[in-house]
Amino acid sequence: MIVVMKPHASDEAVKRVTDRAEASGLSVHLSRGEERTIIGLIGDVRIIEPESLQALPEVDRVLRIMEPYKLASRQGQPTGSKVRVGQVIFGGSDFPVIAGPCAVESAELLDEVAKAVKLAGASALRGGAFKPRTSPYSFQGLGEEGLKILARARHQYDLPVVTEVMSPLELEMVAEHADLLQVGARNMQNFSLLKELGGVRRPVMLKRGLSASIDEWLQAAEYLMSSGNSQVILCERGIRTFETYTRNTLDLSAIAVVKQLSHLPVIVDPSHATGRRELIKPLAMAALAVGADGLMVEVHPCPANALADGPQSLLPEDFSHLMDDLRRIAPSLDRTMAHKETKPSCSAP
Ligand code: PEP
Ligand code: MN
């Protein structure tokens, strides 16, 4: 059962609901959005009359939700939720694009990419410092040094930073430097990590697992939300199928399905979905058309020498062309995009 509070309900009103539920032996999970608080009640909810909760002050609606994901369900929040990352809003009319190299390789390289993607109108900078590589012999990322490089670029180019956290052990360190914490496909069901992220005051981007069903993906989001973090952005990055021409298969229908099932914003990563840079543009366009709330694209100035994911990285000039193309069609889909910058706005010399 979930209790949807009226917009900007007081803490006192929320406490009245949670006290009543706890007195009936139910456990309570609070999800505080920008506007509304939603209270999930778990346990034998037959004990409590929905009418008794509905009658409490500042309660908007009391719903029995049949899906296993209750706080993530659109039933409880028919209007999509918005997630703020720095000054950027995901889930509204904007169509933000996150861009950057797969891995932070050096300060010089990140600086070059950050400058180029900022000029092209990217809303956030990506770069992995802790990399989940298939082979233990592949580049594993620069770790803390990579986070510091990201933090400098964030300051210099005034771009929020997105980076992956792989383990609860690194969480504090990564959260100190990142504006949006990425949970990678391989960790989508790392439940200890998800529970820890529930207690962090940073938004989380949850990538879909390699072989995860939509239901499992939304239940993973529910782990974050029921542990206290309602600032969740979903990211479709392709799933494993029998098709091997592309690295993964971009499940475009999942975007439309998730938009119906959940109020959470959902973005698309056409780089990992295809593994091929020449397919990024058509699939990015398709993502915009199908109703995604943004994109994440890998960009590298010399993909042939990239330490990770070169074949699926766009050259900076191709990224700029992609942004021009998206900007042209976005208005016809009622989406707005950040303008191209004429010069990088550096806050440091
Ligand atoms: C990445 O974003 O670089 C990454 C490793 O993504 P995924 O978890 O989707 O494979
Ligand atoms: Mn990558």
Side-chain angles (χ1 to χ4, degrees):
M1 187 183 284
I2 63 164
V3 179
V4 183
M5 302 300 291
K6 292 200 166 132
H8 311 294
S10 63
D11 289 346
E12 214 183 0
V14 171
K15 189 167 180 316
R16 269 198 210 103
V17 175
T18 58
D19 285 352
R20 176 75 60 92
E22 280 167 351
S24 305
L26 299 175
S27 53
V28 167
H29 296 277
L30 277 190
S31 165
R32 290 187 188 276
E34 289 251 311
E35 237 194 19
R36 278 182 196 266
T37 297
I38 297 179
I39 307 165
L41 307 182
I42 309 296
D44 185 359
V45 289
R46 288 170 304 181
I47 284 170
I48 200 160
E49 286 297 325
E51 295 74 19
S52 69
L53 295 169
Q54 183 73 64
L56 293 173
E58 298 180 68
V59 169
D60 190 359
R61 277 166 296 142
V62 180
L63 300 165
R64 282 190 201 277
I65 308 252
M66 292 307 169
E67 290 108 352
Y69 43 88
K70 305 199 183 293
L71 298 170
S73 169
R74 193 172 270 271
Q75 251 186 292
Q77 197 173 320
T79 49
S81 55
K82 296 186 173 74
V83 176
R84 177 187 289 276
V85 179
Q87 297 306 312
V88 183
I89 304 276
F90 289 82
S93 58
D94 286 347
F95 188 77
V97 179
I98 304 165
C102 179
V104 178
E105 297 178 16
S106 68
E108 295 69 32
L109 181 125
L110 193 72
D111 184 79
E112 185 179 347
V113 178
K115 188 190 280 185
V117 302
K118 173 81 182 182
L119 278 171
S123 298
L125 177 66
R126 67 149 285 149
F130 293 92
K131 293 303 305 173
R133 304 306 299 279
T134 302
S135 163
Y137 306 117
S138 300
F139 178 58
Q140 302 285 309
L142 294 179
E144 190 170 10
E145 178 54 23
L147 295 175
K148 289 183 181 156
I149 293 172
L150 276 168
R152 284 199 290 273
R154 169 223 239 167
H155 173 67
Q156 181 151 8
Y157 295 103
D158 191 23
L159 281 170
V161 154
V162 184
T163 198
E164 177 159 355
V165 58
M166 294 208 306
S167 149
L169 298 173
E170 296 141 8
L171 181 49
E172 205 182 316
M173 189 203 298
V174 180
E176 194 188 317
H177 298 290
D179 298 283
L180 175 61
L181 294 162
Q182 171 172 332
V183 175
R186 290 153 192 82
N187 266 323
M188 189 204 84
Q189 285 186 315
N190 180 339
F191 299 120
S192 320
L193 178 62
L194 298 179
K195 284 186 200 164
E196 287 291 318
L197 282 161
V200 172
R201 297 284 134 245
R202 281 270 185 276
V204 174
M205 178 179 70
L206 180 66
K207 296 189 102 178
R208 183 176 179 185
L210 277 72
S211 301
S213 66
I214 291 173
D215 210 76
E216 287 164 339
W217 189 18
L218 292 176
Q219 292 199 59
E222 191 76 13
Y223 261 93
L224 293 165
M225 300 179 83
S226 63
S227 314
N229 195 341
S230 57
Q231 302 302 293
V232 179
I233 299 169
L234 300 168
C235 178
E236 162 62 44
R237 45 78 73 203
I239 48 172
R240 270 230 172 126
T241 68
F242 56 83
E243 181 57 73
T244 53
Y245 188 83
T246 47
R247 181 175 178 181
N248 291 292
T249 297
L250 179 60
D251 187 1
L252 274 175
S253 60
I255 313 303
V257 172
V258 164
K259 296 298 288 183
Q260 287 181 3
L261 296 179
S262 174
H263 56 86
L264 297 174
V266 52
I267 68 168
V268 167
D269 171 352
S271 296
H272 290 87
T274 61
R276 303 168 73 115
R277 81 174 60 82
E278 70 276 17
L279 295 177
I280 291 177
K281 178 181 156 185
L283 293 179
M285 298 295 215
L288 171 59
V290 82
D293 294 301
L295 293 174
M296 182 159 82
V297 178
E298 289 186 336
V299 177
H300 195 285
C302 185
N305 293 340
L307 297 181
D309 289 347
Q312 63 188 41
S313 300
L314 287 180
L315 286 164
E317 54 269 34
D318 292 334
F319 175 70
S320 183
H321 293 143
L322 170 68
M323 292 296 281
D324 291 341
D325 291 335
L326 290 166
R327 218 176 270 114
R328 238 189 333 272
I329 62 168
S332 62
L333 293 155
D334 293 331
R335 303 307 287 246
T336 44
M337 287 188 61
H339 292 296
K340 213 168 185 153
E341 302 238 342
T342 42
K343 61 179 173 58
S345 48
C346 295
S347 52

